[in-house]
């Protein structure tokens, strides 16, 4: 039985003991973030804050913040179950015999759920219509101390292509600028930005509607890397085994899910000057820098009676968004296998925050197979932003980072096993010298070598006093020691925390600039870079909570009922 809406999912979570209700009044400015961050790091429950200061709306957070809840959200026992179902659709042999076709009938009938239904009249999301807009009534979070303001963090932004009239939905953060407008943070490589360009070329207003609080399959589908010709609501309907019902907005021609909790209707004026948006504590664990984006004008707010506001917090992993990324990993694996026949499995480690690392196991049947796979990954949609691609043999469990590490230490023996590839990087990558472009690193760990007893890995701390000092110290260490791989991090990094070290490593390197080699030994400079080391832009701050809020939450912890 599908979750028909967000409130149905909340009931299911509560029935399974996966939800905690917080009855104490809390603030949407920093306090909720600190609570949710602590719970997330403990692999804890979903949280429903029933009383948010200065807002009539309860707030739900961390609803998909574990593997189990992410699976529940998508109507499955495990995320692999969904990937296995997709694999069955892609197996051509299932349709080549009468017996196979008969067995496939239930599977084929399920495809009917992929068709969204446009219903006339009003939906539950339009039980209340507010033409007098005041965004400050919503419990929009200020997540981190250096954020520029309050941000919608789980919005489903619906747009319509000017020429084809096809709808698109994406998840783009939105900074509240005043009581009626927000920023619209769609990057250059996002569909929303491309659709915006079509309206801008004609100097026209672009209709936009934002759904808040849909059922979890719809929310996930908005983040999925689908081809442009596929409507995200088709994936949502298939996942939830129930067609998504859409209704037309009150003030524009956009259709939104009928059972959404809240809908913001409005437009973007493409003739208007862009507005400064950010900084924002982002999913990389760093503050993304301020930049200029379009302004979204909200002309109407519709919502359900007793609506619940959805939110998420991003920052240093693991956090709720990590499990959404893992869902994408498992769901789209069969499709990747169709395009890369050598592929056995893939792991996007949590510390890689979506785009910084992918580990793939392959059946290496011919020379150069690993390089072929690396280039295939970099040529495939949003995977082109993957900064580090590690290839291991099929007998290595990519979900076991210890096994992967041993394979890399044993099998990478020279620079020939590394591939440096210049190309596009994600807009949130801060480590390259220039924005949006840098060097990706491929690691071929498929050539099985005999152990030499010198497969050592070392992390060293450095307090840099001059530009390039980290690389100097790395070279000195490589000359004086037998360590095969050495990573340099700033002295503020706790090197006993392996997850933290890997997060710094994945985030802070540009391979062309930061990799050094001495014979068959390698050093990586994962320290914060200075302008004098080649940067053309500012290096962002790590996300940390203010001590005042940390103390406040610690003092109130029992009051929240979270002991």
């Amino acid at each position: 039985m599908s979750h028909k809406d967000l409130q149905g999912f909340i009931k299911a979570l509560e029935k399974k003991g996966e939800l905690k209700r917080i009855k104490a009044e809390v603030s949407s400015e920093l306090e909720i973030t600190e609570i949710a961050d602590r719970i997330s790091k403990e692999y804890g429950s979903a949280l429903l804050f029933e009383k948010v200061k200065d807002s009539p709306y309860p707030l739900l957070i961390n609803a998909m913040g574990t593997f189990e809840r992410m699976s529940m959200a998508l109507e499955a026992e495990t995320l692999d179950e969904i990937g296995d179902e997709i694999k069955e659709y892609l197996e051509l042999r299932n349709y080549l015999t009468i017996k196979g076709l008969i067995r496939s009938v239930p599977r084929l009938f399920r495809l009917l759920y992929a068709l969204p239904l446009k219903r006339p009249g009003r939906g539950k999301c339009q039980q209340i219509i507010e033409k007098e807009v005041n965004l400050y009534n919503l419990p929009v979070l200020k997540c981190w101390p250096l954020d520029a303001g309050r941000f919608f963090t789980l919005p489903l932004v619906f747009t319509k292509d000017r020429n084809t009239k096809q709808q698109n939905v994406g998840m783009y953060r939105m900074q509240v600028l005043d009581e009626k407008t927000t920023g619209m943070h769609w990057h250059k490589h996002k569909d929303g930005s491309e659709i915006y360009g079509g309206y801008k070329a004609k100097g026209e207003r672009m209709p936009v509607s934002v759904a808040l609080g849909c059922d979890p399959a719809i929310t996930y589908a908005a983040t999925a890397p689908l081809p442009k010709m596929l409507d995200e609501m088709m994936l949502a309907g298939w996942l939830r085994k129930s067609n998504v019902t859409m209704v037309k907005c009150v003030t524009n021609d956009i259709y939104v899910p009928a059972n959404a909790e809240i809908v913001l209707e409005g437009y973007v004026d493409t003739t208007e000057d862009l507005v400064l948006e950010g900084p924002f504590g982002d999913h990389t664990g760093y503050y993304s820098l301020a930049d200029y984006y379009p302004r979204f004008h909200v002309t109407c707010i519709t919502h359900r009676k007793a609506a619940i506001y959805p939110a998420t917090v991003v920052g240093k992993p693991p956090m709720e968004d990590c499990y959404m990324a893992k869902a994408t990993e498992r769901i789209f694996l069969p499709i990747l296998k169709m395009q890369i026949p050598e592929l056995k499995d893939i792991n996007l480690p949590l510390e890689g925050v979506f785009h910084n690392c992918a580990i793939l196991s392959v059946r290496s049947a011919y020379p150069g197979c690993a390089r072929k796979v690396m280039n295939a990954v970099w040529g495939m949609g949003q995977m082109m932003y993957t900064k580090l691609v590690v290839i291991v043999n099929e007998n290595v469990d990519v979900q076991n980072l210890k096994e992967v590490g041993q394979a890399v230490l044993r099998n990478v023996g020279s620079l020939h096993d590394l591939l440096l590839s210049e190309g596009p990087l994600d807009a949130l990558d801060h480590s390259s010298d220039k924005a949006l472009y840098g060097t990706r690193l491929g690691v071929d760990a498929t050539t099985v070598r005999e152990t030499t007893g010198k497969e050592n890995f070392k992390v060293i701390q450095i307090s840099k006093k001059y530009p390039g000092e980290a690389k100097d110290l790395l070279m000195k260490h490589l000359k004086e020691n037998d360590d095969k791989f050495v990573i340099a991090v700033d002295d503020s990094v706790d090197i006993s925390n392996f997850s933290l070290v890997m997060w710094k490593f994945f985030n802070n390197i540009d391979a062309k600039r930061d990799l050094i080699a001495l014979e068959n030994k390698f050093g990586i400079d994962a320290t914060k870079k200075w302008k004098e080391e080649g940067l053309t832009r500012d290096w962002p701050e790590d996300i940390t909570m203010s001590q005042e809020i940390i103390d406040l939450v610690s003092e109130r912890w029992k009051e929240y009922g979270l002991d």
Side-chain angles (χ1 to χ4, degrees):
M1 182 67 181
S2 64
H3 308 300
K4 293 184 177 180
D5 53 27
L6 182 63
Q7 297 195 29
F9 184 49
I10 290 171
K11 290 177 182 176
L13 290 174
E14 198 157 26
K15 186 176 180 180
K16 283 205 169 187
E18 289 282 350
L19 179 120
K20 293 283 183 68
R21 291 178 178 267
I22 314 299
K23 299 187 179 299
E25 185 178 75
V26 295
S27 173
S28 59
E29 183 167 335
L30 305 181
E31 186 178 6
I32 287 177
T33 296
E34 177 62 16
I35 298 168
D37 190 32
R38 293 189 193 188
I39 293 296
S40 180
K41 296 295 189 288
E42 294 173 359
Y43 204 70
S45 61
L47 301 173
L48 182 63
F49 294 93
E50 296 185 342
K51 296 178 183 177
V52 183
K53 186 178 179 182
D54 299 326
S55 177
Y57 298 92
L59 182 147
L60 177 71
I61 199 165
N62 203 36
M64 294 180 279
T66 64
F67 287 109
E68 292 79 11
R69 290 203 298 280
M70 191 69 241
S71 299
M72 275 185 68
L74 302 183
E75 311 290 337
E77 290 295 321
T78 68
L79 296 175
D80 280 312
E81 177 186 308
I82 304 171
D84 291 342
E85 289 175 336
I86 290 177
K87 180 182 177 182
E88 289 296 314
Y89 281 98
L90 300 177
E91 287 282 359
L92 182 61
R93 62 187 175 186
N94 288 337
Y95 313 107
L96 296 181
T97 65
I98 298 298
K99 190 175 181 181
L101 275 173
I102 292 172
R103 287 178 176 174
S104 299
V105 167
R107 189 183 311 119
L108 296 174
F109 268 112
R110 184 177 170 185
L111 292 176
L112 296 175
Y113 293 134
L115 302 175
L117 305 177
K118 291 183 177 179
R119 194 183 81 190
R122 299 276 165 82
K124 286 186 178 179
C125 65
Q126 296 161 333
Q127 288 174 335
I128 307 293
I129 298 173
E130 298 179 1
K131 294 291 185 71
E132 293 297 321
V133 172
N134 186 356
L135 295 175
Y136 294 134
N137 285 334
L138 297 169
V140 186
L141 298 181
K142 179 177 181 180
C143 298
W144 300 104
L146 300 184
D147 283 357
R150 298 165 64 182
F151 286 83
F152 291 92
T153 54
L154 212 56
L156 277 59
V157 180
F158 285 84
T159 55
K160 181 184 289 188
D161 188 281
R162 182 186 177 277
N163 299 314
T164 67
K165 307 305 179 185
Q166 180 177 341
Q167 282 202 177
N168 175 265
V169 61
M171 190 174 290
Y172 317 119
R173 77 179 191 228
M174 296 158 47
Q175 180 184 337
V176 176
L177 302 175
D178 55 45
E179 63 182 16
K180 295 181 185 296
T181 69
T182 78
M184 187 58 76
H185 186 93
W186 45 48
H187 294 157
K188 290 182 180 179
H189 59 271
K190 299 295 186 182
D191 291 341
S193 179
E194 184 177 334
I195 293 170
Y196 167 81
Y199 286 91
K200 186 172 178 60
K202 297 294 183 179
E204 296 175 352
R205 282 186 175 182
M206 173 183 176
V208 178
S209 289
V210 178
L212 303 167
C214 297
D215 84 68
I218 294 176
T219 298
Y220 167 73
T223 73
L226 294 179
K228 292 182 185 297
M229 70 288 302
L230 287 181
D231 185 345
E232 290 81 1
M233 296 304 98
M234 295 175 68
L235 173 61
W238 181 83
L239 286 169
R240 69 205 288 265
K241 305 180 184 71
S242 175
N243 305 83
V244 177
T245 301
M246 311 285 284
V247 292
K248 187 177 178 181
C249 287
V250 175
T251 61
N252 63 29
D253 290 330
I254 302 288
Y255 278 79
V256 293
N259 288 345
E261 297 291 309
I262 304 166
V263 177
L264 313 179
E265 302 180 9
Y267 64 90
V268 169
D269 185 346
T270 63
T271 66
E272 215 175 17
D273 290 340
L274 301 179
V275 293
L276 188 65
E277 189 263 11
F280 171 73
D282 228 312
H283 72 262
T284 60
Y286 289 82
Y287 285 94
S288 55
L289 303 178
D291 206 347
Y292 288 90
Y293 288 91
R295 182 190 294 266
F296 172 47
H297 296 262
V298 183
T299 56
C300 178
I301 298 177
T302 70
H303 60 85
R304 298 169 62 130
K305 297 174 182 176
I308 294 174
Y309 176 84
T312 192
V313 176
V314 294
K316 294 176 185 176
M319 302 196 86
E320 181 177 9
D321 62 318
C322 294
Y323 302 99
M324 298 174 77
K326 296 302 282 189
T328 295
E329 170 196 301
R330 306 325 296 167
I331 291 171
F332 287 86
L333 175 60
I335 299 171
L336 284 177
K337 285 183 174 181
M338 281 192 69
Q339 299 175 78
I340 307 175
E342 303 86 352
L343 177 63
K344 180 184 177 184
D345 199 4
I346 185 172
N347 179 14
L348 304 176
L350 303 186
E351 295 83 1
V353 292
F354 293 80
H355 57 266
N356 279 339
C357 181
I359 305 167
L360 296 86
S361 56
V362 301
R363 300 171 188 88
S364 186
Y366 52 85
C369 175
R371 292 191 173 223
K372 180 259 189 185
V373 172
M374 293 172 195
N375 286 308
V377 168
W378 288 322
M380 196 176 299
Q382 293 188 33
M383 292 197 78
M384 67 181 173
Y385 307 116
T386 309
K387 192 159 60 171
L388 175 64
V389 178
V390 179
I391 310 293
V392 295
N393 283 313
E394 62 179 317
N395 62 339
V396 177
D397 180 5
V398 295
Q399 308 302 330
N400 185 328
L401 293 183
K402 184 176 181 180
E403 268 193 52
V404 173
Q406 289 171 342
V408 171
L409 287 170
R410 181 178 63 248
N411 295 340
V412 176
S414 69
L415 280 173
H416 179 73
D417 298 319
L418 305 179
L419 175 63
L420 274 63
S421 172
E422 292 190 26
L425 292 176
D426 189 270
L428 296 181
D429 182 85
H430 63 264
S431 63
S432 60
D433 294 338
K434 298 179 181 179
L436 303 173
Y437 185 87
T439 305
R440 292 88 52 100
L441 175 63
V443 178
D444 178 2
T446 61
T447 303
V448 179
R449 304 178 191 275
E450 291 186 11
T451 180
T452 65
K454 295 182 179 180
E455 284 78 41
N456 300 324
F457 167 74
K458 183 79 171 181
V459 181
I460 60 175
Q461 292 173 302
I462 293 175
S463 177
K464 285 199 294 190
K465 299 177 180 61
Y466 61 86
E469 183 181 9
K471 293 175 77 173
D472 290 345
L473 291 177
L474 281 168
M475 182 59 75
K476 183 176 185 292
H477 185 97
L478 293 174
K479 288 178 179 178
E480 297 175 355
N481 297 274
D482 285 333
D483 299 317
K484 191 170 184 178
F485 283 89
V486 185
I487 297 175
V489 296
D490 294 297
D491 61 355
S492 59
V493 177
D494 177 6
I495 61 175
S496 68
N497 185 333
F498 181 74
S499 177
L500 181 62
V501 171
M502 288 297 97
W503 170 65
K504 286 289 184 180
F505 170 57
F506 295 146
N507 265 284
N508 285 0
I509 69 165
D510 181 278
K512 184 177 181 180
R513 180 194 62 216
D514 297 325
L515 173 69
I516 64 172
L518 180 66
E519 298 173 350
N520 65 339
K521 299 187 291 186
F522 307 93
I524 290 281
D525 176 7
T527 64
K528 177 179 179 178
K529 304 305 182 301
W530 298 1
K531 286 286 183 70
E532 295 85 350
E533 293 174 303
L535 285 183
T536 59
R537 52 203 178 126
D538 293 330
W539 189 276
E541 296 289 334
D542 286 27
I543 297 172
T544 55
M545 184 53 73
S546 67
Q547 191 60 48
E548 178 185 2
I549 294 297
I550 292 172
D551 293 342
L552 171 70
V553 170
S554 295
E555 183 180 321
R556 297 193 67 194
W557 197 253
K558 288 185 178 180
E559 189 181 346
Y560 304 138
L562 293 171
D563 265 0

